[in-house]
Amino acid sequence: MKKILKLMRKNWITVWFLVCVITCTSLISYAAFTRINIVKRVVSTDAGAGARFSSDSMDTSIAGMTSRKSFYSQSADPDAEVYVFNYPYPKASLYRNTVTEYDVAARIGTHDGTTFTPLTGEDLSELSNSYYINYNGGTNAVFNNSSVPVTFENCRMNAGKVNPDCFNVHFDSAELGDTPPGYCVEMIATPKDTSLPTLKGYISVRYLKTVESGWTGTLEELDNNKVYDGYNYILEGSGEGRITFSWNSDILTINKQFLQNPENKFYISGAEVNGSPSLSESDFSTGSGTCSITLVVDSQEKNRYEVQFYKTDTSGSNDYRNSVIKTYLPDSNNWVETGSGS
Protein backbone atom coordinates (compact mmCIF):
# COMPACT_ATOMS: atom_id res chain seq x y z
CA MET A 1 0.00 0.00 0.00
CA LYS A 2 2.86 2.38 0.86
CA LYS A 3 4.47 1.61 -2.48
CA ILE A 4 1.22 2.51 -4.27
CA LEU A 5 0.85 5.81 -2.39
CA LYS A 6 4.50 6.62 -3.08
CA LEU A 7 4.01 5.88 -6.76
CA MET A 8 0.87 8.07 -6.88
CA ARG A 9 2.70 10.98 -5.21
CA LYS A 10 5.47 10.79 -7.78
CA ASN A 11 3.00 10.67 -10.66
CA TRP A 12 0.15 12.78 -9.26
CA ILE A 13 -0.30 14.75 -12.47
CA THR A 14 -0.88 11.60 -14.47
CA VAL A 15 -3.29 10.21 -11.85
CA TRP A 16 -5.24 13.48 -11.73
CA PHE A 17 -5.52 13.50 -15.53
CA LEU A 18 -6.85 9.92 -15.62
CA VAL A 19 -9.45 10.72 -12.92
CA CYS A 20 -10.66 13.74 -14.91
CA VAL A 21 -10.90 11.73 -18.14
CA ILE A 22 -12.90 8.94 -16.47
CA THR A 23 -15.25 11.43 -14.74
CA CYS A 24 -15.91 13.43 -17.94
CA THR A 25 -16.52 10.28 -19.94
CA SER A 26 -19.10 9.08 -17.39
CA LEU A 27 -20.87 12.45 -17.36
CA ILE A 28 -21.01 12.65 -21.17
CA SER A 29 -22.34 9.09 -21.43
CA TYR A 30 -25.03 9.79 -18.82
CA ALA A 31 -26.02 13.04 -20.49
CA ALA A 32 -26.25 11.37 -23.88
CA PHE A 33 -28.36 8.55 -22.43
CA THR A 34 -30.63 11.01 -20.65
CA ARG A 35 -31.02 13.12 -23.81
CA ILE A 36 -31.98 10.08 -25.87
CA ASN A 37 -34.63 9.13 -23.33
CA ILE A 38 -35.98 12.68 -23.26
CA VAL A 39 -36.24 12.69 -27.05
CA LYS A 40 -37.98 9.34 -26.96
CA ARG A 41 -40.48 10.64 -24.44
CA VAL A 42 -41.18 13.76 -26.49
CA VAL A 43 -41.69 11.78 -29.67
CA SER A 44 -43.80 9.04 -28.14
CA THR A 45 -45.99 11.43 -26.12
CA ASP A 46 -47.76 12.66 -29.25
CA ALA A 47 -47.13 9.74 -31.56
CA GLY A 48 -49.87 9.45 -34.14
CA ALA A 49 -50.72 13.14 -33.86
CA GLY A 50 -51.85 13.11 -37.46
CA ALA A 51 -55.13 11.53 -36.31
CA ARG A 52 -55.59 13.82 -33.30
CA PHE A 53 -57.60 16.40 -35.18
CA SER A 54 -61.09 15.21 -36.02
CA SER A 55 -64.77 16.10 -36.14
CA ASP A 56 -68.19 14.52 -35.86
CA SER A 57 -69.33 16.26 -39.06
CA MET A 58 -66.13 16.61 -41.13
CA ASP A 59 -63.54 14.11 -42.29
CA THR A 60 -60.30 13.86 -44.25
CA SER A 61 -61.70 12.53 -47.53
CA ILE A 62 -61.45 14.60 -50.69
CA ALA A 63 -65.22 14.48 -51.15
CA GLY A 64 -65.85 15.54 -47.54
CA MET A 65 -68.38 14.19 -45.07
CA THR A 66 -72.11 14.81 -45.52
CA SER A 67 -73.97 15.39 -42.26
CA ARG A 68 -77.74 15.94 -42.15
CA LYS A 69 -79.55 16.78 -38.94
CA SER A 70 -83.14 15.59 -38.92
CA PHE A 71 -86.05 17.35 -37.20
CA TYR A 72 -89.43 15.81 -36.48
CA SER A 73 -91.24 19.12 -35.96
CA GLN A 74 -91.51 21.88 -38.55
CA SER A 75 -91.55 24.44 -35.74
CA ALA A 76 -88.15 23.32 -34.40
CA ASP A 77 -85.18 25.68 -34.33
CA PRO A 78 -83.07 24.36 -37.22
CA ASP A 79 -79.52 24.52 -35.96
CA ALA A 80 -76.75 21.94 -36.15
CA GLU A 81 -73.73 21.69 -33.86
CA VAL A 82 -70.42 20.76 -35.47
CA TYR A 83 -67.65 19.65 -33.09
CA VAL A 84 -63.91 19.69 -33.69
CA PHE A 85 -61.78 17.49 -31.44
CA ASN A 86 -58.12 17.40 -30.40
CA TYR A 87 -58.21 13.60 -30.44
CA PRO A 88 -59.12 10.90 -33.00
CA TYR A 89 -62.91 10.89 -32.52
CA PRO A 90 -64.34 9.02 -30.66
CA LYS A 91 -61.13 8.00 -28.79
CA ALA A 92 -61.18 10.81 -26.23
CA SER A 93 -58.37 9.32 -24.14
CA LEU A 94 -55.86 10.01 -26.95
CA TYR A 95 -55.97 13.80 -26.71
CA ARG A 96 -53.05 15.91 -27.94
CA ASN A 97 -50.41 17.13 -25.53
CA THR A 98 -49.72 20.20 -27.64
CA VAL A 99 -51.93 23.18 -28.45
CA THR A 100 -54.05 22.73 -31.58
CA GLU A 101 -54.55 25.86 -33.70
CA TYR A 102 -56.54 25.95 -36.91
CA ASP A 103 -58.63 28.10 -39.27
CA VAL A 104 -62.16 27.39 -40.48
CA ALA A 105 -63.73 28.59 -43.72
CA ALA A 106 -67.50 28.18 -44.24
CA ARG A 107 -69.65 28.76 -47.34
CA ILE A 108 -73.34 28.26 -48.00
CA GLY A 109 -74.67 26.74 -51.20
CA THR A 110 -76.25 23.60 -52.64
CA HIS A 111 -74.98 20.04 -52.93
CA ASP A 112 -76.33 17.60 -55.51
CA GLY A 113 -74.70 14.54 -53.96
CA THR A 114 -71.49 15.01 -55.91
CA THR A 115 -70.73 18.70 -56.34
CA PHE A 116 -71.03 21.66 -53.98
CA THR A 117 -72.05 24.97 -55.61
CA PRO A 118 -71.63 28.04 -53.38
CA LEU A 119 -74.10 30.91 -53.49
CA THR A 120 -72.69 34.12 -54.94
CA GLY A 121 -73.81 37.57 -56.03
CA GLU A 122 -77.52 38.35 -55.81
CA ASP A 123 -78.44 34.87 -54.57
CA LEU A 124 -76.13 35.38 -51.61
CA SER A 125 -77.11 38.97 -50.84
CA GLU A 126 -80.81 38.07 -50.76
CA LEU A 127 -80.26 35.21 -48.34
CA SER A 128 -82.11 35.36 -45.01
CA ASN A 129 -80.17 36.51 -41.94
CA SER A 130 -81.30 33.26 -40.32
CA TYR A 131 -78.45 31.46 -42.07
CA TYR A 132 -75.41 32.00 -39.86
CA ILE A 133 -72.58 30.31 -37.99
CA ASN A 134 -70.78 31.04 -34.74
CA TYR A 135 -67.73 29.68 -32.94
CA ASN A 136 -68.09 28.45 -29.34
CA GLY A 137 -71.21 30.58 -28.84
CA GLY A 138 -69.58 33.80 -30.05
CA THR A 139 -70.86 36.42 -32.48
CA ASN A 140 -73.09 35.15 -35.29
CA ALA A 141 -71.52 35.46 -38.74
CA VAL A 142 -74.24 35.64 -41.41
CA PHE A 143 -73.64 34.26 -44.89
CA ASN A 144 -75.36 37.03 -46.89
CA ASN A 145 -72.56 39.59 -46.82
CA SER A 146 -69.57 40.31 -49.03
CA SER A 147 -67.28 38.04 -47.01
CA VAL A 148 -67.20 34.75 -48.90
CA PRO A 149 -66.35 32.48 -47.29
CA VAL A 150 -67.03 33.25 -43.63
CA THR A 151 -63.77 32.61 -41.79
CA PHE A 152 -62.73 31.91 -38.21
CA GLU A 153 -58.99 32.33 -37.82
CA ASN A 154 -56.71 31.11 -35.04
CA CYS A 155 -59.20 28.77 -33.44
CA ARG A 156 -57.48 27.11 -30.51
CA MET A 157 -57.84 23.94 -28.43
CA ASN A 158 -55.66 23.78 -25.34
CA ALA A 159 -53.18 20.98 -24.74
CA GLY A 160 -53.19 18.12 -22.29
CA LYS A 161 -56.93 17.53 -21.99
CA VAL A 162 -60.10 16.81 -23.93
CA ASN A 163 -60.96 20.23 -25.27
CA PRO A 164 -63.49 20.20 -28.16
CA ASP A 165 -64.59 23.30 -30.06
CA CYS A 166 -68.19 23.80 -31.20
CA PHE A 167 -69.48 25.59 -34.28
CA ASN A 168 -73.22 26.25 -34.35
CA VAL A 169 -74.63 26.29 -37.89
CA HIS A 170 -78.09 27.84 -37.99
CA PHE A 171 -80.54 27.56 -40.88
CA ASP A 172 -83.72 29.39 -41.80
CA SER A 173 -86.96 27.69 -40.73
CA ALA A 174 -87.83 27.41 -44.43
CA GLU A 175 -85.48 24.40 -44.55
CA LEU A 176 -88.08 22.48 -42.52
CA GLY A 177 -90.97 23.50 -44.75
CA ASP A 178 -92.78 21.44 -47.34
CA THR A 179 -90.65 22.93 -50.15
CA PRO A 180 -87.24 23.59 -48.52
CA PRO A 181 -84.59 25.64 -50.38
CA GLY A 182 -82.14 22.83 -49.75
CA TYR A 183 -79.12 24.87 -48.74
CA CYS A 184 -76.13 23.33 -46.99
CA VAL A 185 -72.96 24.73 -45.45
CA GLU A 186 -69.50 23.64 -46.51
CA MET A 187 -66.93 23.75 -43.70
CA ILE A 188 -63.16 23.30 -44.09
CA ALA A 189 -60.91 23.19 -41.01
CA THR A 190 -57.21 23.73 -41.77
CA PRO A 191 -54.73 23.11 -38.92
CA LYS A 192 -51.62 25.25 -38.46
CA ASP A 193 -49.59 22.10 -37.80
CA THR A 194 -49.06 20.58 -41.24
CA SER A 195 -48.72 17.10 -39.74
CA LEU A 196 -52.43 17.21 -38.94
CA PRO A 197 -55.10 16.53 -41.60
CA THR A 198 -57.43 19.07 -43.17
CA LEU A 199 -61.09 18.33 -42.46
CA LYS A 200 -64.07 19.00 -44.75
CA GLY A 201 -67.79 18.49 -44.44
CA TYR A 202 -71.24 19.54 -45.68
CA ILE A 203 -73.92 20.27 -43.10
CA SER A 204 -77.65 20.56 -43.71
CA VAL A 205 -80.98 20.12 -41.91
CA ARG A 206 -84.29 18.58 -42.95
CA TYR A 207 -87.76 17.77 -41.70
CA LEU A 208 -88.80 14.13 -41.43
CA LYS A 209 -92.23 12.81 -40.66
CA THR A 210 -92.41 10.27 -37.86
CA VAL A 211 -92.92 6.70 -38.98
CA GLU A 212 -96.20 5.40 -37.58
CA SER A 213 -95.21 1.83 -36.62
CA GLY A 214 -92.51 -0.75 -37.16
CA TRP A 215 -88.99 -0.32 -38.53
CA THR A 216 -87.96 0.03 -42.16
CA GLY A 217 -84.68 0.19 -44.05
CA THR A 218 -84.37 2.40 -47.11
CA LEU A 219 -81.52 3.27 -49.42
CA GLU A 220 -81.51 7.03 -49.94
CA GLU A 221 -82.74 7.88 -53.43
CA LEU A 222 -80.09 7.79 -56.15
CA ASP A 223 -79.93 9.76 -59.38
CA ASN A 224 -78.89 7.45 -62.22
CA ASN A 225 -77.16 10.38 -63.93
CA LYS A 226 -74.74 10.89 -61.03
CA VAL A 227 -71.77 8.97 -59.64
CA TYR A 228 -71.59 8.56 -55.87
CA ASP A 229 -68.62 7.87 -53.60
CA GLY A 230 -70.84 6.76 -50.73
CA TYR A 231 -74.39 5.73 -49.95
CA ASN A 232 -76.78 6.53 -47.09
CA TYR A 233 -78.98 3.78 -45.72
CA ILE A 234 -81.81 5.01 -43.48
CA LEU A 235 -83.22 2.94 -40.62
CA GLU A 236 -86.29 4.46 -38.99
CA GLY A 237 -89.40 3.42 -37.14
CA SER A 238 -91.04 2.96 -33.78
CA GLY A 239 -90.97 0.28 -31.14
CA GLU A 240 -88.39 -1.57 -29.10
CA GLY A 241 -86.39 -4.63 -30.13
CA ARG A 242 -83.63 -5.67 -32.50
CA ILE A 243 -83.26 -5.15 -36.23
CA THR A 244 -80.79 -6.96 -38.47
CA PHE A 245 -79.43 -5.63 -41.74
CA SER A 246 -76.84 -7.07 -44.14
CA TRP A 247 -74.68 -5.93 -47.03
CA ASN A 248 -72.13 -7.25 -49.53
CA SER A 249 -68.80 -6.59 -47.79
CA ASP A 250 -66.82 -7.32 -50.96
CA ILE A 251 -68.43 -4.30 -52.58
CA LEU A 252 -69.16 -1.90 -49.69
CA THR A 253 -67.72 -1.10 -46.28
CA ILE A 254 -69.63 0.51 -43.42
CA ASN A 255 -68.59 3.83 -41.88
CA LYS A 256 -66.48 2.84 -38.85
CA GLN A 257 -67.85 5.78 -36.87
CA PHE A 258 -71.25 4.06 -36.81
CA LEU A 259 -69.65 1.04 -35.12
CA GLN A 260 -67.58 3.16 -32.73
CA ASN A 261 -70.39 5.50 -31.65
CA PRO A 262 -71.09 4.63 -27.97
CA GLU A 263 -74.72 5.75 -28.42
CA ASN A 264 -75.34 2.78 -30.73
CA LYS A 265 -75.95 -0.64 -29.20
CA PHE A 266 -75.34 -3.94 -30.99
CA TYR A 267 -76.33 -7.53 -30.28
CA ILE A 268 -73.24 -9.75 -30.64
CA SER A 269 -72.97 -13.41 -29.62
CA GLY A 270 -75.93 -13.21 -27.28
CA ALA A 271 -74.91 -10.00 -25.53
CA GLU A 272 -75.66 -6.30 -25.97
CA VAL A 273 -72.51 -4.27 -26.74
CA ASN A 274 -72.20 -0.51 -27.02
CA GLY A 275 -70.27 0.97 -29.91
CA SER A 276 -66.56 1.43 -29.16
CA PRO A 277 -63.18 1.84 -30.89
CA SER A 278 -62.60 -1.90 -30.44
CA LEU A 279 -65.41 -2.79 -32.86
CA SER A 280 -64.72 -3.23 -36.56
CA GLU A 281 -66.47 -4.65 -39.58
CA SER A 282 -64.67 -7.97 -39.06
CA ASP A 283 -66.65 -8.49 -35.84
CA PHE A 284 -69.81 -8.83 -37.96
CA SER A 285 -68.45 -10.65 -41.01
CA THR A 286 -69.75 -14.12 -41.84
CA GLY A 287 -66.63 -14.89 -43.86
CA SER A 288 -68.61 -15.33 -47.06
CA GLY A 289 -68.57 -11.78 -48.37
CA THR A 290 -71.51 -10.75 -46.22
CA CYS A 291 -71.74 -8.64 -43.06
CA SER A 292 -74.82 -8.63 -40.83
CA ILE A 293 -75.38 -6.25 -37.94
CA THR A 294 -78.07 -6.60 -35.31
CA LEU A 295 -78.90 -3.21 -33.83
CA VAL A 296 -80.74 -2.85 -30.51
CA VAL A 297 -83.40 -0.17 -30.98
CA ASP A 298 -85.80 1.81 -28.83
CA SER A 299 -87.73 4.58 -30.58
CA GLN A 300 -88.31 6.33 -27.25
CA GLU A 301 -84.60 7.11 -27.27
CA LYS A 302 -83.88 7.23 -31.00
CA ASN A 303 -86.12 6.51 -33.97
CA ARG A 304 -83.78 7.12 -36.89
CA TYR A 305 -80.30 5.99 -37.88
CA GLU A 306 -78.31 7.13 -40.91
CA VAL A 307 -75.69 4.56 -41.89
CA GLN A 308 -73.04 5.46 -44.46
CA PHE A 309 -71.45 2.89 -46.76
CA TYR A 310 -68.42 3.44 -49.00
CA LYS A 311 -66.99 1.68 -52.03
CA THR A 312 -64.32 -0.92 -51.28
CA ASP A 313 -62.94 -0.69 -54.81
CA THR A 314 -62.24 2.44 -56.85
CA SER A 315 -60.33 0.71 -59.66
CA GLY A 316 -63.48 0.16 -61.71
CA SER A 317 -63.41 -3.64 -61.57
CA ASN A 318 -66.67 -3.81 -59.58
CA ASP A 319 -70.07 -2.73 -60.85
CA TYR A 320 -71.20 0.37 -58.94
CA ARG A 321 -73.98 1.51 -61.24
CA ASN A 322 -76.85 3.05 -59.29
CA SER A 323 -79.25 0.52 -60.79
CA VAL A 324 -77.08 -2.30 -59.36
CA ILE A 325 -76.11 -0.87 -55.98
CA LYS A 326 -79.59 -1.69 -54.66
CA THR A 327 -78.71 -5.37 -54.92
CA TYR A 328 -75.96 -4.74 -52.37
CA LEU A 329 -78.09 -2.37 -50.27
CA PRO A 330 -81.68 -3.45 -51.11
CA ASP A 331 -84.28 -0.72 -50.85
CA SER A 332 -86.71 -3.10 -49.18
CA ASN A 333 -88.41 -3.55 -45.82
CA ASN A 334 -87.52 -7.23 -46.06
CA TRP A 335 -83.88 -6.30 -45.60
CA VAL A 336 -84.66 -5.37 -42.01
CA GLU A 337 -85.81 -8.14 -39.69
CA THR A 338 -87.62 -7.12 -36.53
CA GLY A 339 -86.52 -9.21 -33.55
CA SER A 340 -87.47 -9.40 -29.90
CA GLY A 341 -86.17 -7.03 -27.29
CA SER A 342 -83.86 -8.10 -24.53
Side-chain angles (χ1 to χ4, degrees):
M1 183 67 179
K2 291 180 179 180
K3 290 182 179 181
I4 294 174
L5 293 173
K6 186 177 181 181
L7 181 62
M8 291 177 64
R9 282 196 294 270
K10 288 183 178 180
N11 299 278
W12 69 270
I13 295 177
T14 302
V15 173
W16 178 83
F17 177 78
L18 290 173
V19 171
C20 290
V21 169
I22 293 171
T23 302
C24 291
T25 301
S26 299
L27 290 173
I28 291 171
S29 298
Y30 178 78
F33 177 79
T34 305
R35 181 180 179 83
I36 289 171
N37 278 301
I38 290 174
V39 171
K40 285 182 177 178
R41 285 199 298 271
V42 170
V43 171
S44 62
T45 296
D46 226 17
R52 301 187 185 190
F53 183 64
S54 62
S55 170
D56 62 342
S57 301
M58 296 182 283
D59 63 20
T60 60
S61 67
I62 296 176
M65 180 178 178
T66 299
S67 178
R68 300 181 181 90
K69 183 173 181 179
S70 301
F71 294 85
Y72 298 93
S73 170
Q74 290 182 300
S75 61
D77 193 26
D79 67 277
E81 293 181 337
V82 175
Y83 287 93
V84 178
F85 306 103
N86 62 341
Y87 56 84
Y89 177 78
K91 302 177 183 179
S93 61
L94 300 180
Y95 52 79
R96 294 193 79 204
N97 285 313
T98 53
V99 171
T100 306
E101 294 184 331
Y102 61 100
D103 298 332
V104 167
R107 300 185 295 176
I108 192 167
T110 58
H111 200 295
D112 63 4
T114 303
T115 304
F116 174 74
T117 304
L119 295 183
T120 58
E122 185 176 344
D123 291 334
L124 184 65
S125 63
E126 293 180 352
L127 196 67
S128 164
N129 286 335
S130 296
Y131 293 93
Y132 60 77
I133 182 172
N134 64 53
Y135 169 56
N136 283 339
T139 304
N140 296 334
V142 297
F143 288 102
N144 63 350
N145 56 32
S146 59
S147 177
V148 181
V150 171
T151 58
F152 297 91
E153 297 180 343
N154 302 317
C155 301
R156 177 187 176 96
M157 291 183 286
N158 292 331
K161 63 179 181 178
V162 174
N163 190 54
D165 279 345
C166 179
F167 293 84
N168 184 66
V169 184
H170 193 276
F171 293 82
D172 190 274
S173 58
E175 296 292 344
L176 303 183
D178 294 328
T179 56
Y183 293 136
C184 74
V185 171
E186 177 193 66
M187 292 182 64
I188 299 176
T190 306
K192 304 287 189 180
D193 184 343
T194 56
S195 70
L196 297 174
T198 296
L199 306 174
K200 181 165 67 172
Y202 299 95
I203 296 88
S204 61
V205 297
R206 60 182 174 183
Y207 166 68
L208 290 172
K209 296 181 179 179
T210 303
V211 178
E212 292 184 1
S213 62
W215 287 82
T216 61
T218 306
L219 180 65
E220 197 166 74
E221 185 177 352
L222 302 177
D223 186 335
N224 286 329
N225 296 319
K226 301 183 185 302
V227 177
Y228 296 86
D229 294 317
Y231 308 90
N232 289 328
Y233 189 77
I234 311 301
L235 295 166
E236 58 186 350
S238 63
E240 180 181 2
R242 305 185 192 120
I243 54 177
T244 302
F245 56 99
S246 306
W247 69 94
N248 187 324
S249 56
D250 291 334
I251 302 296
L252 299 169
T253 182
I254 194 170
N255 185 348
K256 64 180 182 181
Q257 291 186 1
F258 181 77
L259 305 180
Q260 296 176 355
N261 188 342
E263 295 181 359
N264 295 336
K265 185 179 293 184
F266 306 98
Y267 189 73
I268 305 174
S269 302
E272 294 185 359
V273 179
N274 288 91
S276 72
S278 64
L279 287 181
S280 66
E281 189 169 299
S282 61
D283 293 310
F284 303 93
S285 175
T286 63
S288 59
T290 300
C291 278
S292 296
I293 285 183
T294 299
L295 187 67
V296 180
V297 295
D298 183 352
S299 60
Q300 294 296 319
E301 298 180 0
K302 188 172 184 178
N303 64 358
R304 178 183 172 87
Y305 296 84
E306 294 188 14
V307 191
Q308 287 79 41
F309 290 89
Y310 303 103
K311 298 176 180 178
T312 60
D313 171 42
T314 57
S315 65
S317 59
N318 287 325
D319 190 349
Y320 285 103
R321 289 175 299 164
N322 293 339
S323 58
V324 177
I325 204 69
K326 293 182 179 181
T327 64
Y328 313 132
L329 287 170
D331 187 12
S332 168
N333 293 352
N334 294 328
W335 202 52
V336 179
E337 303 170 2
T338 302
S340 61
S342 58

